[in-house]
Short mmCIF file of all heavy atoms in Angstrom, two decimals:
data_model
loop_
_atom_site.label_atom_id
_atom_site.label_comp_id
_atom_site.label_asym_id
_atom_site.label_seq_id
_atom_site.Cartn_x
_atom_site.Cartn_y
_atom_site.Cartn_z
N ILE A 71 117.57 45.09 123.94
CA ILE A 71 119.02 45.01 124.31
C ILE A 71 119.98 44.69 123.19
O ILE A 71 120.94 45.19 122.85
CB ILE A 71 119.33 44.06 125.43
CG1 ILE A 71 118.68 44.73 126.78
CG2 ILE A 71 120.77 43.92 125.70
CD1 ILE A 71 118.85 43.88 128.01
N ALA A 72 119.52 43.65 122.46
CA ALA A 72 120.37 43.03 121.27
C ALA A 72 120.42 44.07 120.21
O ALA A 72 121.31 43.89 119.45
CB ALA A 72 119.75 41.68 120.83
N LYS A 73 119.46 44.91 120.07
CA LYS A 73 119.52 45.93 118.96
C LYS A 73 120.57 46.96 119.25
O LYS A 73 121.32 47.43 118.31
CB LYS A 73 118.17 46.54 118.82
CG LYS A 73 118.17 47.72 117.68
CD LYS A 73 116.88 48.38 117.56
CE LYS A 73 116.83 49.42 116.39
NZ LYS A 73 115.55 50.08 116.34
N PHE A 74 120.78 47.34 120.50
CA PHE A 74 121.55 48.51 120.88
C PHE A 74 122.96 48.11 121.56
O PHE A 74 123.79 49.00 121.71
CB PHE A 74 120.88 49.41 121.90
CG PHE A 74 119.69 50.07 121.19
CD1 PHE A 74 118.39 49.59 121.52
CD2 PHE A 74 119.90 51.15 120.38
CE1 PHE A 74 117.30 50.26 120.84
CE2 PHE A 74 118.79 51.82 119.80
CZ PHE A 74 117.43 51.39 120.02
N ALA A 75 123.10 46.82 121.80
CA ALA A 75 124.37 46.27 122.34
C ALA A 75 124.64 44.95 121.74
O ALA A 75 123.77 44.21 121.43
CB ALA A 75 124.25 46.26 123.92
N LYS A 76 126.05 44.72 121.62
CA LYS A 76 126.54 43.47 121.16
C LYS A 76 126.64 42.54 122.27
O LYS A 76 127.23 42.72 123.36
CB LYS A 76 127.93 43.63 120.56
CG LYS A 76 127.94 44.54 119.34
CD LYS A 76 129.38 44.87 118.77
CE LYS A 76 129.32 45.85 117.61
NZ LYS A 76 130.66 46.05 117.08
N VAL A 77 125.89 41.40 122.13
CA VAL A 77 125.79 40.45 123.26
C VAL A 77 126.13 39.06 122.75
O VAL A 77 125.53 38.56 121.75
CB VAL A 77 124.26 40.37 123.78
CG1 VAL A 77 124.07 39.41 124.87
CG2 VAL A 77 123.76 41.73 124.20
N ASP A 78 127.06 38.34 123.46
CA ASP A 78 127.43 37.07 123.08
C ASP A 78 126.57 36.00 123.91
O ASP A 78 125.63 36.38 124.73
CB ASP A 78 128.93 36.71 123.38
CG ASP A 78 129.32 36.84 124.80
OD1 ASP A 78 128.54 36.62 125.63
OD2 ASP A 78 130.54 37.14 125.00
N ASN A 79 126.68 34.73 123.76
CA ASN A 79 125.79 33.76 124.31
C ASN A 79 125.90 33.84 125.86
O ASN A 79 124.93 33.73 126.60
CB ASN A 79 126.14 32.44 123.81
CG ASN A 79 125.76 32.25 122.43
OD1 ASN A 79 124.96 32.76 121.95
ND2 ASN A 79 126.49 31.19 121.65
N ALA A 80 127.09 33.87 126.51
CA ALA A 80 127.25 33.96 127.87
C ALA A 80 126.49 35.20 128.51
O ALA A 80 125.88 35.13 129.48
CB ALA A 80 128.68 33.90 128.28
N GLN A 81 126.82 36.28 127.85
CA GLN A 81 126.11 37.51 128.27
C GLN A 81 124.68 37.41 128.20
O GLN A 81 123.95 37.93 129.03
CB GLN A 81 126.68 38.71 127.44
CG GLN A 81 128.07 39.09 127.61
CD GLN A 81 128.60 39.97 126.69
OE1 GLN A 81 128.12 40.07 125.55
NE2 GLN A 81 129.75 40.76 127.01
N TYR A 82 124.12 36.85 127.11
CA TYR A 82 122.68 36.72 126.94
C TYR A 82 122.07 35.91 128.08
O TYR A 82 120.93 36.33 128.55
CB TYR A 82 122.39 36.15 125.66
CG TYR A 82 120.94 35.93 125.23
CD1 TYR A 82 120.25 37.06 124.73
CD2 TYR A 82 120.21 34.81 125.61
CE1 TYR A 82 118.85 37.03 124.42
CE2 TYR A 82 118.80 34.78 125.43
CZ TYR A 82 118.11 35.76 124.87
OH TYR A 82 116.74 35.80 124.61
N ARG A 83 122.78 34.84 128.50
CA ARG A 83 122.20 33.99 129.46
C ARG A 83 122.13 34.75 130.81
O ARG A 83 121.13 34.69 131.58
CB ARG A 83 123.10 32.70 129.64
CG ARG A 83 122.88 31.73 128.58
CD ARG A 83 123.48 30.49 128.96
NE ARG A 83 125.00 30.53 129.09
CZ ARG A 83 125.78 30.37 128.09
NH1 ARG A 83 125.35 30.04 126.83
NH2 ARG A 83 127.18 30.50 128.26
N LEU A 84 123.19 35.59 131.16
CA LEU A 84 123.16 36.39 132.37
C LEU A 84 122.01 37.49 132.26
O LEU A 84 121.26 37.67 133.19
CB LEU A 84 124.42 37.07 132.49
CG LEU A 84 124.57 38.05 133.84
CD1 LEU A 84 124.39 37.32 135.02
CD2 LEU A 84 125.98 38.69 133.73
N LEU A 85 121.75 38.10 131.11
CA LEU A 85 120.83 39.07 130.94
C LEU A 85 119.41 38.55 131.03
O LEU A 85 118.60 39.18 131.71
CB LEU A 85 121.06 39.79 129.56
CG LEU A 85 122.26 40.65 129.45
CD1 LEU A 85 122.52 41.12 127.96
CD2 LEU A 85 122.17 41.89 130.25
N LYS A 86 119.29 37.32 130.53
CA LYS A 86 117.96 36.64 130.56
C LYS A 86 117.60 36.41 132.05
O LYS A 86 116.40 36.55 132.44
CB LYS A 86 118.00 35.40 129.69
CG LYS A 86 116.66 34.77 129.65
CD LYS A 86 116.57 33.49 128.65
CE LYS A 86 115.24 32.83 128.65
NZ LYS A 86 115.29 31.67 127.74
N ASN A 87 118.54 36.02 132.76
CA ASN A 87 118.42 35.75 134.22
C ASN A 87 118.06 36.94 135.04
O ASN A 87 117.39 36.83 135.99
CB ASN A 87 119.59 35.00 134.80
CG ASN A 87 119.31 34.43 136.27
OD1 ASN A 87 118.33 34.02 136.55
ND2 ASN A 87 120.45 34.40 137.00
N ALA A 88 118.62 38.05 134.68
CA ALA A 88 118.64 39.24 135.47
C ALA A 88 117.52 40.24 135.08
O ALA A 88 117.26 41.18 135.94
CB ALA A 88 120.03 39.98 135.39
N THR A 89 117.00 40.00 133.96
CA THR A 89 115.99 41.12 133.47
C THR A 89 114.56 40.60 133.42
O THR A 89 114.40 39.47 133.28
CB THR A 89 116.33 41.63 132.03
OG1 THR A 89 116.36 40.46 131.16
CG2 THR A 89 117.65 42.35 132.05
N PRO A 90 113.66 41.54 133.76
CA PRO A 90 113.77 42.92 134.21
C PRO A 90 114.20 43.03 135.61
O PRO A 90 114.00 42.13 136.48
CB PRO A 90 112.39 43.50 133.93
CG PRO A 90 111.44 42.39 134.26
CD PRO A 90 112.22 41.20 133.67
N GLY A 91 114.88 44.12 136.02
CA GLY A 91 115.32 44.23 137.31
C GLY A 91 116.20 45.49 137.57
O GLY A 91 116.55 46.19 136.60
N PRO A 92 116.69 45.72 138.70
CA PRO A 92 117.55 46.87 139.08
C PRO A 92 119.06 46.79 138.69
O PRO A 92 119.87 46.85 139.64
CB PRO A 92 117.31 47.03 140.57
CG PRO A 92 117.19 45.56 141.05
CD PRO A 92 116.45 44.79 140.04
N TRP A 93 119.30 46.46 137.46
CA TRP A 93 120.69 46.34 137.06
C TRP A 93 120.92 47.14 135.90
O TRP A 93 120.05 47.35 134.90
CB TRP A 93 120.89 44.87 136.57
CG TRP A 93 120.39 43.77 137.60
CD1 TRP A 93 119.13 43.31 137.62
CD2 TRP A 93 121.09 43.27 138.53
NE1 TRP A 93 119.06 42.31 138.61
CE2 TRP A 93 120.19 42.31 139.29
CE3 TRP A 93 122.38 43.45 139.06
CZ2 TRP A 93 120.60 41.58 140.26
CZ3 TRP A 93 122.82 42.71 140.29
CH2 TRP A 93 121.91 41.83 140.80
N THR A 94 122.13 47.68 135.74
CA THR A 94 122.61 48.31 134.59
C THR A 94 123.78 47.61 134.20
O THR A 94 124.76 47.33 134.85
CB THR A 94 122.91 49.84 134.81
OG1 THR A 94 121.82 50.57 135.28
CG2 THR A 94 123.55 50.51 133.69
N PHE A 95 123.85 47.18 132.80
CA PHE A 95 124.97 46.41 132.27
C PHE A 95 125.68 47.29 131.33
O PHE A 95 125.11 47.96 130.39
CB PHE A 95 124.30 45.17 131.52
CG PHE A 95 123.78 44.25 132.49
CD1 PHE A 95 122.35 44.18 132.76
CD2 PHE A 95 124.44 43.33 133.29
CE1 PHE A 95 121.64 43.35 133.58
CE2 PHE A 95 123.89 42.49 134.19
CZ PHE A 95 122.49 42.46 134.32
N ILE A 96 126.97 47.30 131.48
CA ILE A 96 127.88 47.93 130.43
C ILE A 96 128.24 47.00 129.35
O ILE A 96 128.80 45.92 129.59
CB ILE A 96 129.06 48.50 131.11
CG1 ILE A 96 128.76 49.39 132.34
CG2 ILE A 96 129.93 49.35 130.07
CD1 ILE A 96 128.00 50.50 132.14
N LEU A 97 127.84 47.26 128.18
CA LEU A 97 128.01 46.53 126.98
C LEU A 97 128.43 47.22 125.88
O LEU A 97 128.45 48.50 125.86
CB LEU A 97 126.71 45.84 126.56
CG LEU A 97 126.09 44.82 127.57
CD1 LEU A 97 124.52 44.73 127.33
CD2 LEU A 97 126.70 43.49 127.36
N GLU A 98 129.13 46.53 124.80
CA GLU A 98 129.64 47.26 123.66
C GLU A 98 128.48 47.65 122.83
O GLU A 98 127.57 46.95 122.60
CB GLU A 98 130.48 46.28 122.89
CG GLU A 98 131.13 46.89 121.65
CD GLU A 98 132.06 45.94 120.90
OE1 GLU A 98 132.26 44.84 121.39
OE2 GLU A 98 132.54 46.27 119.79
N ALA A 99 128.51 48.93 122.51
CA ALA A 99 127.35 49.52 121.75
C ALA A 99 127.44 49.23 120.30
O ALA A 99 128.45 49.07 119.65
CB ALA A 99 127.43 51.10 121.93
#
């Protein structure tokens, strides 16, 4: 995810909590 999308600390914490799973996140490419 970090390779293909720009992720800040707050976003990273949310992604860590949610993945893997049935979620699609819109992020800056």
Side-chain angles (χ1 to χ4, degrees):
I71 288 181
K73 178 180 180 182
F74 293 99
K76 298 177 182 179
V77 179
D78 63 26
N79 289 337
Q81 291 168 339
Y82 183 86
R83 287 192 295 270
L84 177 61
L85 292 168
K86 186 176 181 180
N87 188 35
T89 58
W93 311 91
T94 298
F95 295 98
I96 307 301
L97 292 157
E98 185 178 353

